[in-house]
Amino acid sequence: GNSVTQMEGPVTLSEEAFLTINCTYTATGYPSLFWYVQYPGEGLQLLLKATKADDKGSNKGFEATYRKETTSFHLEKGSVQVSDSAVYFCALTLNSGGYQKVTFGIGTKLQVIP
Amino acid sequence: EPEVTQTPSHQVTQMGQEVILRCVPISNHLYFYWYRQILGQKVEFLVSFYNNEISEKSEIFDDQFSVERPDGSNFTLKIRSTKLEDSAMYFCASSLGTGNSPLHFGNGTRLTVT
């Protein structure tokens, strides 16, 4: 079956530190990969996505590259801010004629301290 | 930007009572989904809905659950007889269903069963 494995948190960083949140996946077929973010008290927001191997998704200073050879989609940001404190979910979908079922990782809580 | 909206944001109910969680998907989207997140745990797929019928449902989505699109704009999740373990955040999502269009999530309804 399909699954997503991501590092468990919480991850605590000082402001302006470099962030990496690891994510690896197992899938039958060729998935699309996503990072979703959940800010405190809010819903899930799409942060970035990549739909094929070697694609790089980026948004708000975050980046992730679809690595088929290592089945990974690690999230990185060069300099985190306090406002980045949230839970980050790695996810995949396998498109089947328009219908997509998202498989989520467990989520990694990031806390950025001033 | 269009949003998926969910009401209420928080619902408290007694065990055994029926609850209806409401969602208004993005208007031109064709696929609709319910997910849930038990506190501190993974976001789990419940059900997907397309063309007025269920496309797929998970093991969690037993006979106590039902979904409906009663009027072409709302998308509801009904739990007939709530149990304590139904306490969770319930997320509605919708997608266009074309190519690799991502899911757009609502802010969720926190259901507390006492």
Side-chain angles (χ1 to χ4, degrees):
Chain A
N2 304 320
S3 66
V4 175
T5 302
Q6 62 182 109
M7 57 191 293
E8 292 200 31
V11 173
T12 302
L13 294 174
S14 298
E15 207 164 22
E16 299 183 4
F18 184 86
L19 168 72
T20 301
I21 300 178
N22 290 336
C23 171
T24 57
Y25 67 89
T26 303
T28 53
Y30 300 97
S32 295
L33 302 174
F34 303 84
W35 278 98
Y36 283 86
V37 59
Q38 185 180 30
Y39 297 104
E42 297 187 16
L44 294 162
Q45 299 177 26
L46 178 65
L47 180 61
L48 54 84
K49 69 175 184 176
T51 58
K52 61 183 187 297
D54 300 324
D55 268 3
K56 178 186 282 189
S58 61
N59 187 24
K60 299 181 181 179
F62 291 89
E63 292 183 339
T65 301
Y66 190 143
R67 301 284 188 204
K68 187 180 175 185
E69 63 276 13
T70 54
T71 62
S72 64
F73 193 56
H74 305 320
L75 182 69
E76 297 182 335
K77 186 173 185 183
S79 176
V80 293
Q81 305 301 311
V82 172
S83 57
D84 293 327
S85 299
V87 181
Y88 293 82
F89 293 90
C90 187
L92 68 83
T93 66
L94 282 164
N95 197 353
S96 175
Y99 156 63
Q100 296 188 60
K101 176 182 164 186
V102 182
T103 300
F104 286 94
I106 198 164
T108 302
K109 184 174 182 178
L110 170 66
Q111 184 175 10
V112 181
I113 54 178
Chain B
E1 185 176 330
E3 292 181 339
V4 175
T5 56
Q6 291 186 241
T7 54
S9 56
H10 191 190
Q11 174 91 45
V12 181
T13 189
Q14 289 188 328
M15 196 167 51
Q17 295 297 303
E18 174 183 287
V19 293
I20 298 176
L21 309 184
R22 301 181 191 280
C23 170
V24 179
I26 294 173
S27 61
N28 62 336
H29 283 188
L30 302 177
Y31 292 81
F32 314 110
Y33 312 81
W34 284 100
Y35 285 76
R36 81 170 184 190
Q37 183 185 29
I38 294 172
L39 187 64
Q41 298 186 25
K42 190 181 286 196
V43 178
E44 301 172 295
F45 169 78
L46 290 179
V47 66
S48 62
F49 192 85
Y50 170 72
N51 200 26
N52 284 319
E53 59 183 28
I54 291 173
S55 309
E56 185 177 347
K57 59 184 181 180
S58 71
E59 295 173 351
I60 304 166
F61 195 88
D62 61 22
D63 292 343
Q64 294 298 312
F65 291 87
S66 62
V67 289
E68 194 177 33
R69 188 156 161 79
D71 56 12
S73 63
N74 290 285
F75 179 52
T76 61
L77 173 70
K78 182 193 290 186
I79 309 175
R80 288 188 185 79
S81 178
T82 50
K83 303 186 285 285
L84 293 176
E85 54 265 36
D86 294 327
S87 296
M89 182 75 91
Y90 288 80
F91 292 105
C92 174
S94 67
S95 69
L96 268 172
T98 57
N100 293 300
S101 55
L103 272 63
H104 294 257
F105 285 85
N107 280 346
T109 294
R110 179 168 297 284
L111 176 65
T112 303
V113 182
T114 61

